[in-house]
Amino acid sequence: MATGSTVDADEVAFFAGIADSWWDPKGPFKPLHQLNPTRLAYIRQEVCRHFDLKDTLRPYETLRFLDIGCGGGLLSEPLKRLGADLVSVDASEKNIKVASLHAEQSGLDIDYRNTTAEALADAGETFDVIVNMEVIEHVADVSAYLEACRKLLKPGGIMLLSTINRTSKAYLFAIIGAEVILRWLPRGAHDWNKFLTPKELSDALEAASFTPSAPTGFSFNPLGGRWSLSDRDVAVNYAMSAAG
């Protein structure tokens, strides 16, 4: 396991314990499989807008991407197919092994590394785009983590984040609903006390010298079982872009 001041060892161990299930769409990562098209749509929307790119089949070919907390590679593989020059990192060695094997089986050459944002920053690595999805609620020190991310972002670059709001609705849906009643996620996957409100995340980003955007909601329709982007509904899942 990669270590550092922002790595929460208990969180890494928890997800390493279910790493073999990353690519099972009916397993413990089912919610991420369902959410993935909406996450990718948000990333594509923000990156194309920020860099004034044409929305082609491979719009990311001129950009160097970093996927932090890549897990089994659910985002990394489609980002690579869209042309990204991609480095994907995770603090769990087991996650990286699972992701690397799946990418090899899929014929994708992805630079997977068992390391941390801090270690990359210390090594002087820089990126045009940082993908930071469903990660910040699992780190040990939000401020230190974002400072490392800022060092990793090239001037004029952009970071995309998504997380869960700290609201009573989020507790009801993301923990009681998803973990206890529906059992979409293993018990203990989230700690409500570590969730950040959009204001808290925006303030933390500004303190780390980012320029954050207004939040965009990831809204779930339980009847259709589908996610969509929302300008209004940020009560549970939401995303935010941060310019360097």
Side-chain angles (χ1 to χ4, degrees), residues 50 128 149-150 153-159 208-212 241-244:
H50 184 78
D128 299 294
C149 290
R150 185 66 189 88
L153 193 65
K154 292 180 181 180
I158 188 173
M159 180 166 69
S209 300
F210 286 100
T211 302
S241 65

Side-chain angles (χ1 to χ4, degrees), residues 26-45:
K26 296 182 180 179
F29 294 105
K30 177 181 177 180
L32 287 184
H33 283 270
Q34 292 177 318
L35 180 57
N36 225 31
T38 305
R39 297 197 299 176
L40 288 163
Y42 178 76
I43 294 168
R44 188 168 186 149
Q45 167 188 292

Side-chain angles (χ1 to χ4, degrees), residues 168 170-183 187:
S168 56
Y171 184 84
L172 177 63
F173 281 83
I175 296 181
I176 300 300
E179 295 184 19
V180 179
I181 298 174
L182 298 175
R183 296 184 180 179
R187 291 289 294 268

Side-chain angles (χ1 to χ4, degrees), residues 56-114:
T56 61
L57 290 176
R58 291 172 60 84
Y60 304 152
E61 286 190 318
T62 62
L63 301 173
R64 190 175 194 226
F65 273 64
L66 172 63
D67 183 6
I68 304 179
C70 63
L74 299 188
L75 279 174
S76 295
E77 292 199 8
L79 291 174
K80 186 66 178 181
R81 289 191 174 97
L82 289 167
D85 174 12
L86 179 65
V87 175
S88 297
V89 304
D90 199 283
S92 165
E93 183 179 10
K94 188 172 183 181
N95 283 346
I96 290 298
K97 288 181 177 179
V98 169
S100 298
L101 177 60
H102 195 275
E104 182 181 349
Q105 293 171 340
S106 302
L108 296 171
D109 183 15
I110 298 175
D111 185 359
Y112 281 115
R113 307 182 195 178
N114 176 213

Side-chain angles (χ1 to χ4, degrees), residues 86-235:
L86 179 65
V87 175
S88 297
V89 304
D90 199 283
S92 165
E93 183 179 10
K94 188 172 183 181
N95 283 346
I96 290 298
K97 288 181 177 179
V98 169
S100 298
L101 177 60
H102 195 275
E104 182 181 349
Q105 293 171 340
S106 302
L108 296 171
D109 183 15
I110 298 175
D111 185 359
Y112 281 115
R113 307 182 195 178
N114 176 213
T115 188
T116 66
E118 295 160 279
L120 287 175
D122 289 342
E125 299 256 16
T126 57
F127 302 86
D128 299 294
V129 181
I130 298 176
V131 176
N132 215 322
M133 312 299 269
E134 286 75 51
V135 174
I136 201 162
E137 69 269 26
H138 300 292
V139 303
D141 187 328
V142 171
S143 296
Y145 177 67
L146 291 178
E147 287 173 6
C149 290
R150 185 66 189 88
K151 293 176 183 177
L152 289 165
L153 193 65
K154 292 180 181 180
I158 188 173
M159 180 166 69
L160 294 315
L161 308 96
S162 63
T163 190
I164 304 174
N165 202 343
R166 197 177 65 258
T167 61
S168 56
K169 184 177 180 180
Y171 184 84
L172 177 63
F173 281 83
I175 296 181
I176 300 300
E179 295 184 19
V180 179
I181 298 174
L182 298 175
R183 296 184 180 179
W184 283 348
L185 294 169
R187 291 289 294 268
H190 291 112
D191 179 353
W192 185 83
N193 293 299
K194 295 180 74 173
F195 294 167
L196 295 172
T197 68
K199 177 66 164 58
E200 289 169 340
L201 180 55
S202 181
D203 287 348
L205 286 165
E206 288 183 350
S209 300
F210 286 100
T211 302
S213 71
T216 296
F218 288 172
S219 182
F220 183 66
N221 181 344
L223 297 179
R226 294 184 179 181
W227 292 85
S228 60
L229 299 177
S230 171
D231 292 332
R232 298 180 180 180
D233 184 8
V234 298

